[in-house]
Amino acid sequence: MTAEQTAALVPLEFDPTDPVALAQALVRCPSVTPAEGGALALLARVLAAEGYAIHRPVFGEPGMPDIENFYARIGSEAPVFVIAGHTDVVPVGDEAAWTRAPFGAQIENGVLYGRGACDMKGGLAAMVSAAIRYRRENPRAPGSIAFLVTGDEEGPAVNGTVKLLKWAHERGERFDHCLLGEPTNPAAMSDMIKIGRRGSLTGELTVNGIQGHVGYPHLADNPIRGMVRLLAALDAAPLDQGTRHFDPSNLEVTTLDVGNPATNVIPAQARAVFNIRFNDTWTPETLAAEIERRLREAAGNTVRHELRFRPTNSVAFLTEPGPFVAMVADAVEAETGKRPALSTTGGTSDARFIKSYCPVVEYGVVGKTMHQVDECVAIADLVALERITHRLLASYFAAQHKT
Ligand SMILES: [Zn+2]
C-alpha cells in the first residue's frame, strides 16, 4: 500500500466537493515557494480517496532547492482532460500589514482571506471539487481527468511545470486539452478567458564613452548622449500594429544607469535594460534581430554600444478559438449570464509550457488581490468556478460520447 493509499484511509475532516472547505484547507498550508507546506499532500489525500492514481515527482537542479510536484489521474482512456495549476504562493510580505492571518483562511462577509486564496489555491480547490463531483455523479464517464500541479510556479519555474510535463510525456501520458486555473478575471467571473499569452524578452544595452572633465568635453565622449539616441530609436516606431488576438507589442525601458555621483565628470559608460512583451508577430529571434537593426541604424559609426539579450523561455502563443475555447466560454456564460472576452493580455504563465503538449485555455477566479496584502477570494466566485468547471467537464465528455 502506498503512503497515499494509507493516508486515504483516514477520513477527511471536510467534504471535498465543497470548494470553500477545500480552499480553506489549502490556504492553511504555508506553501511559500519552494516549500510544499502540506498542500500537495492534502491534494494527494483528497484525490487518492476518489480513486486517482497519485504521483509526486521531485525535481532538482544543482544549487537549487528540490521541488515537489504532483500528478494525479483517474481513468485509463482518451481523451485526457488536464486541469493544471500550482500550490506554491508568494511570500506574505509585511505580515503586520495584513488584517487577517495570512495562513488562517478566515471567512468574513462572504470573503475568504489568505495568501494564495486567489492565486491560485481557490481556483485549484474549485476545480478539484468539480472533478470529484463530476466523477461521483458519472462513475462510468468516458475518458480521463488528470491534475498537473507544481510547487514551483511563483519561483524560478525551473523544477516545476516544464519538468513535470516532460516527466509525464516520458511515462506515456498524452493530453488532449488543458484548463489552467490561474486567476484570469479582472473584476467578475464573467470577464475573461485567456487563450494565449504574449512573450517576454529582456535586453541589456551598454554604451561606452570616454570619461573626462566636464570642462574639457573635447577630450571626452559622453555615453549618455549616445544612450539617449539609441533608446529614442527603440521607441520611435511601433514594433507592430497588434494581431487578430493580440495587442501591439510593447517595449519598456526598465532601468537606465550611469552611477555617476560627480557633477564635473563625464562618465565612461551608460547602461540600460528594457523588456519587451511581444505578440505572435515575433519569435524571440526575429524580435532580437529587429532590435539589433534599429540600434545599428541609430548608432551609425559614432555610438559604441553592446547589446545582450537574456535567455527567455517565454514565447508568444495562441490557442486558436475553436470548439474547445467555445466550450469553455459556453460554460462561463451558462453560469454567469455573460459571455467572457477571449484575451491574451497580462503577464506570462505556465500555459506557455503546456501549449507544446496540448491546447490550453486559462480561466480562474477574480485576480484583483493576487500577491497583495489581504489576498482574498469571494466565496460566491469559488462556488461559481466549481459549477463552471463541472459544466465544462460534463459537456467535454458528453461531446466525446457522441463522436
Ligand atoms: Zn498563479
Side-chain angles (χ1 to χ4, degrees):
M1 202 180 270
T2 67
E4 277 77 27
Q5 284 166 332
T6 315
L9 297 177
V10 183
L12 282 170
E13 48 287 348
F14 59 88
D15 174 6
T17 61
D18 175 0
V20 180
L22 182 53
Q24 279 185 297
L26 280 174
V27 168
R28 288 185 183 124
C29 302
S31 52
V32 176
T33 331
E36 182 270 337
L40 295 177
L42 175 65
L43 281 187
R45 225 175 121 211
V46 167
L47 289 172
E50 303 296 321
Y52 280 73
I54 310 283
H55 304 271
R56 294 179 61 186
V58 175
F59 301 124
E61 204 68 56
M64 288 177 130
D66 284 352
I67 300 278
E68 289 189 45
N69 292 272
F70 180 92
Y71 181 69
R73 175 171 169 170
I74 193 164
S76 54
E77 288 155 32
V80 181
F81 187 102
V82 182
I83 294 172
H86 62 89
T87 50
D88 61 325
V89 296
V90 296
V92 167
D94 180 9
E95 189 161 357
W98 285 69
T99 61
R100 282 82 174 177
F103 299 107
Q106 203 177 319
I107 294 176
E108 237 179 274
N109 299 324
V111 177
L112 164 59
Y113 290 87
R115 177 56 84 225
C118 130
D119 183 10
M120 56 162 278
K121 287 175 171 176
L124 189 58
M127 290 177 180
V128 169
S129 291
I132 291 174
R133 183 160 72 89
Y134 173 74
R135 288 294 297 212
R136 282 186 185 176
E137 292 167 359
N138 303 276
R140 276 179 298 279
S144 307
I145 299 174
F147 284 91
L148 189 86
V149 184
T150 180
D152 185 27
E153 200 274 343
E154 304 287 10
V158 167
N159 292 310
T161 299
V162 177
K163 289 188 179 176
L164 188 55
L165 284 162
K166 194 163 168 276
W167 170 90
H169 192 83
E170 279 164 6
R171 291 178 50 90
E173 297 292 296
R174 293 296 176 270
F175 304 143
D176 292 275
H177 292 90
C178 178
L179 178 67
L180 175 59
E182 289 284 2
T184 52
N185 287 299
M189 291 301 287
S190 57
D191 286 342
M192 194 175 280
I193 289 173
K194 295 211 170 163
I195 57 166
R197 294 277 187 158
R198 291 177 295 185
S200 171
L201 182 66
T202 298
E204 299 169 353
L205 179 62
T206 306
V207 174
N208 293 303
I210 299 169
Q211 187 174 323
H213 195 298
V214 168
Y216 301 86
H218 54 289
L219 299 177
D221 174 19
N222 193 339
I224 297 174
R225 192 170 288 119
M227 179 60 89
V228 167
R229 198 206 292 180
L230 296 193
L231 292 181
L234 290 185
D235 229 15
L239 288 162
D240 54 66
Q241 305 302 321
T243 60
R244 199 168 131 77
H245 294 287
F246 284 88
D247 288 338
S249 301
N250 181 55
L251 181 150
E252 292 293 332
V253 177
T254 52
T255 187
L256 177 53
D257 303 288
V258 179
N260 178 20
T263 57
N264 59 351
V265 175
I266 293 171
Q269 197 176 60
R271 287 199 192 92
V273 177
F274 57 88
N275 178 261
I276 307 171
R277 295 302 163 108
F278 60 92
N279 62 36
D280 55 351
T281 306
W282 309 98
T283 66
E285 294 76 25
T286 61
L287 184 58
E290 169 64 13
I291 296 301
E292 276 163 15
R293 190 193 63 75
R294 289 186 180 200
L295 292 177
R296 222 182 306 122
E297 215 161 82
N301 291 323
T302 50
V303 184
R304 290 183 296 135
H305 70 282
E306 287 155 35
L307 176 64
R308 202 184 76 88
F309 287 101
R310 291 190 193 162
T312 183
N313 55 17
S314 190
V315 297
F317 77 93
L318 178 73
T319 300
E320 280 291 345
F324 180 60
V325 172
M327 205 178 267
V328 180
D330 286 346
V332 175
E333 186 177 7
E335 294 292 340
T336 66
K338 210 184 123 219
R339 195 142 190 100
L342 307 181
S343 168
T344 56
T345 57
T348 183
S349 79
D350 274 358
R352 72 188 189 276
F353 305 127
I354 299 169
K355 65 102 171 90
S356 306
Y357 294 83
C358 70
V360 54
V361 165
E362 295 175 72
Y363 178 72
V365 298
V366 172
K368 246 189 289 188
T369 61
M370 51 185 162
H371 298 200
Q372 291 184 6
V373 161
D374 283 345
E375 181 175 345
C376 60
V377 65
I379 298 304
D381 292 356
L382 292 179
V383 172
L385 185 56
E386 191 276 338
R387 296 176 64 99
I388 289 164
T389 310
H390 183 277
R391 185 179 282 273
L392 175 61
L393 291 171
S395 50
Y396 183 83
F397 289 111
Q400 303 307 324
H401 247 345
K402 275 181 244 137
T403 52

